[in-house]
Amino acid sequence: EHSWLMEGTEDGITLAINDNGISCTLSKYLPQYIAKNMQGYVEGFLAKNNLTKDDMDFWAIHPGGRRIIEEAQNGLELSEEQCEESWHVLANYGNMLSPSVMFVLERIFGKHKKQLAENKPGMQQGIAFSFSPGVGAEGILIR
C-alpha cells in the first residue's frame, strides 16, 4: 500500500460531520491537484515495488467525478480502455465516496474471471487508488 499527502492541497477535499451525517466539499482546484501530482505518486509507488506503468494490467481509479477521472487519466497518460471500468461506475452509480473504487474493482475482477474461463491468462497485477481529505492519494498494488 502507498499513501501520499499532496503538498499544498489542504483545501482540495474537506469533510465535516453534521446533524445529517458527513458532508464533503471539493475545491474547484481538486482536478488540477490530481493532474499535477498523480504521475509522481504512481511512479514512486511502482518504483518501490520495482515496477513501471507498463507492468500494470489494470487501473482502478476512484470515480469521484468526471474531472477526477479525466485528470487522473491525463496525468498518468492512460487510455480510455484502461479507465473504462471507472467511467462505467461513475456513469451508473455516481460518486459514492470511499467505496466507489471497490465497485470498479468488482468489475475488473469480473473481467479477470471471464478471461480465465475463456482459457486466457487473465490479469496479473494492477493498481487501485482513491483520494482522501487533504488531498491524499491512497493506493494498493493488487497481484
Side-chain angles (χ1 to χ4, degrees):
E1 78 181 57
H2 186 65
S3 299
W4 186 42
L5 183 60
M6 299 175 195
E7 191 173 331
T9 64
E10 294 80 10
D11 66 321
I13 302 172
T14 57
L15 297 179
I17 299 173
N18 54 47
D19 292 338
N20 297 322
I22 298 174
S23 62
C24 180
T25 305
L26 306 179
S27 166
K28 67 180 180 179
Y29 302 110
L30 180 58
Q32 295 169 0
Y33 296 154
I34 291 170
K36 179 181 174 187
N37 289 284
M38 286 312 296
Q39 185 80 14
Y41 165 75
V42 168
E43 285 177 356
F45 182 20
L46 294 176
K48 232 172 62 168
N49 293 282
N50 298 313
L51 297 167
T52 69
K53 285 177 15 186
D54 292 336
D55 296 317
M56 297 299 99
D57 295 322
F58 65 86
W59 295 83
I61 300 169
H62 169 66
R66 180 184 60 81
R67 298 267 329 269
I68 302 303
I69 299 173
E70 283 175 354
E71 295 304 338
Q73 181 177 340
N74 293 337
L76 294 169
E77 301 173 341
L78 300 176
S79 69
E80 287 291 320
E81 183 180 354
Q82 289 172 302
C83 302
E84 71 181 333
E85 303 308 335
S86 296
W87 285 113
H88 180 274
V89 170
L90 180 63
N92 288 278
Y93 302 101
N95 179 6
M96 300 170 285
L97 299 177
S98 298
S100 300
V101 75
M102 300 306 288
F103 284 69
V104 176
L105 285 169
E106 180 180 42
R107 291 189 54 82
I108 289 168
F109 294 158
K111 268 182 150 174
H112 174 70
K113 287 179 185 177
K114 184 179 177 185
Q115 290 172 350
L116 293 176
E118 295 171 352
N119 292 320
K120 295 180 182 174
M123 296 177 244
Q124 300 302 307
Q125 60 193 359
I127 188 171
F129 59 84
S130 235
F131 302 102
S132 60
V135 172
E138 312 290 335
I140 187 166
L141 178 65
I142 300 169
R143 293 183 170 164

